[in-house]
Amino acid sequence: MVMVKISYYVDEKIFENEGRWKGSEKVRDIPLPKELVFTVDEKILNDVNQAKAQFLKQASDLQIAVYSFTSFGKKLTKKKRLHPDTFIQLALQLAYYRLHGRPGCCYETAMTRYFYHGRTETVRSCTIEAVRWCQSMQDPSTSLFEQQQKMLQAFAKHNKMMKDCSTGKGFDRHLLGLSLIAKEEGLPVPELFRDPLFSRSGGGGNFVLSTSLIGYLRVQGMVVPMVHNGYGFFYHIREDRFVVACSAWKSCPETDAKKLVQLTFHAFHDMMQLMNIPNL
C-alpha cells in the first residue's frame, strides 16, 4: 500500500500540473552528490553476482499479461447491485475453472485498517458457493435462472467473508500466529499444518491464485505467482473499465496468463448477461 500511495500521489500531481513543472526555476545552492564507496570482499561480490543471476533467471521466466476491459466497469456493476470487487473475483473463479477444469484455491487481500496497526487478512475466494456456480455455468442442462441464483449466492458468501475478514473475524492470521509460536518455542508443529489438505487449500503460502484489488485509482501493480503452477492476479477498478495484471511462470506447461485474462473478460460478459435475464 505504501507503493500504491506514492504512485497515486505522483499520478495526481502530474494531472494537476498538466505534465509540466510549475514550481520554482531557481537552482538551490547545494553540494553535489558524492558516491558512497563500499568496502566488500570476494564473498560479498560472489553473493551479489549470484543474486543478479538468480533475479535474471526468474525474471526471464515470468509471463506478464496486462489488459483493460472497457465494455463496462464499476458504474454498471453497481447499477446491477453487484459489488465490483466480488464481480471480478467470481469471474476469475469461473475463468480458472474453464481453463483448468477444477476449482482454484485463491488468496484475496482483505485490509484490516479498522484496527490500530491493522494490516491484512486472507479472504479465501474459492467457496463452495462459487464452485457450485462454476459447475452450473458448465452444465448445459442448468437453466439461466438457476445459474443466476447460484451466482447471487456466491456473491452473498464472498461479500460476507470480506466483511468478516476486514473486521477481525478471519482465521488465516490466527493460524499463522499458532504456527509461528510453535516454531519459536521449539514445539511440534500442530497436526493441522501437516495435513496435505491444508496445503492444497492454499495454506502455508500455496494458493494457486494470488490476488488483490489495488484500488479504485489509475495506479496498477502486480505480483508473481505464489506457486509454480499458479497465477498472480492484481487489478484496479474504474467507473468505465477493469484493468488486470496477471502473471504466470513460462516454465510451467499448464498455466497461461493471457488465456486466463481472456477467459476472465469472457466471464464478465456472461455474468452481466445473467443479470439481464427476466425474473421468472
Side-chain angles (χ1 to χ4, degrees):
M1 288 308 297
V2 173
M3 291 303 299
V4 169
K5 289 294 184 184
I6 292 173
S7 301
Y8 172 65
Y9 176 81
V10 172
D11 184 54
E12 287 293 296
K13 286 298 178 182
I14 290 172
F15 271 81
E16 180 183 319
N17 295 320
E18 299 174 328
R20 297 191 301 273
W21 172 250
K22 295 183 179 180
S24 172
E25 298 291 337
K26 183 180 178 181
V27 178
R28 288 178 294 169
D29 184 19
I30 56 176
L32 294 172
K34 294 181 180 179
E35 180 185 2
L36 291 176
V37 180
F38 291 87
T39 303
V40 295
D41 57 21
E42 284 299 314
K43 181 181 183 306
I44 292 176
L45 289 174
N46 287 334
D47 288 345
V48 169
N49 288 330
Q50 286 181 19
K52 283 183 179 179
Q54 182 180 357
F55 168 77
L56 291 172
K57 181 181 178 182
Q58 287 188 294
S60 63
D61 188 34
L62 191 63
Q63 178 196 12
I64 299 172
V66 183
Y67 293 98
S68 291
F69 176 85
T70 57
S71 298
F72 56 84
K74 173 186 172 184
K75 185 177 180 180
L76 184 58
T77 56
K78 295 288 281 185
K79 183 179 178 181
K80 298 293 184 180
R81 297 183 179 181
L82 301 173
H83 195 292
D85 175 65
T86 309
F87 186 86
I88 294 176
Q89 284 290 326
L90 290 179
L92 175 60
Q93 284 294 315
L94 181 56
Y96 185 89
Y97 193 90
R98 285 172 167 171
L99 183 58
H100 295 285
R102 61 181 183 273
C105 57
C106 182
Y107 167 100
E108 182 188 5
T109 307
M111 305 304 295
T112 53
R113 286 177 289 180
Y114 288 114
F115 303 97
Y116 186 57
H117 286 170
R119 289 178 61 82
T120 64
E121 179 56 274
T122 300
V123 176
R124 292 175 173 248
S125 305
C126 186
T127 62
I128 293 174
E129 290 81 358
V131 172
R132 287 172 179 165
W133 170 62
C134 291
Q135 290 170 339
S136 75
M137 293 295 286
Q138 297 302 95
D139 183 358
S141 66
T142 307
S143 69
L144 292 176
F145 179 73
E146 189 176 350
Q147 290 174 348
Q148 181 202 65
Q149 294 306 300
K150 287 183 181 296
M151 182 180 77
L152 294 177
Q153 289 168 9
F155 263 92
K157 179 60 177 287
H158 189 95
N159 292 341
K160 183 179 185 303
M161 280 199 311
M162 179 59 77
K163 182 179 179 181
D164 286 346
C165 289
S166 299
T167 53
K169 297 176 183 176
F171 61 83
D172 269 275
R173 297 298 175 269
H174 177 70
L175 292 177
L176 175 63
L178 293 176
S179 175
L180 292 176
I181 289 171
K183 291 177 182 177
E184 290 170 1
E185 298 296 326
L187 301 172
V189 177
E191 186 178 350
L192 168 68
F193 301 103
R194 302 194 303 270
D195 193 311
L197 288 179
F198 182 71
S199 295
R200 285 183 63 187
S201 73
N206 290 290
F207 289 97
V208 172
L209 295 168
S210 178
T211 77
S212 185
L213 165 64
I214 298 172
Y216 298 85
L217 320 167
R218 289 185 295 267
V219 178
Q220 182 62 45
M222 67 175 305
V223 68
V224 299
M226 276 193 191
V227 292
H228 188 245
N229 65 330
Y231 297 91
F233 195 93
F234 274 28
Y235 52 92
H236 77 255
I237 294 170
R238 290 162 68 177
E239 289 293 317
D240 61 345
R241 70 192 62 196
F242 302 125
V243 184
V244 168
C246 184
S247 64
W249 297 113
K250 295 176 184 175
S251 55
C252 180
E254 65 176 281
T255 55
D256 190 323
K258 184 177 180 180
K259 281 185 179 178
L260 186 66
V261 173
Q262 289 172 339
L263 285 170
T264 302
F265 288 1
H266 187 266
F268 289 162
H269 287 294
D270 289 346
M271 293 166 72
M272 196 53 69
Q273 286 174 4
L274 285 181
M275 295 307 297
N276 291 331
I277 65 171
N279 292 324
L280 301 179

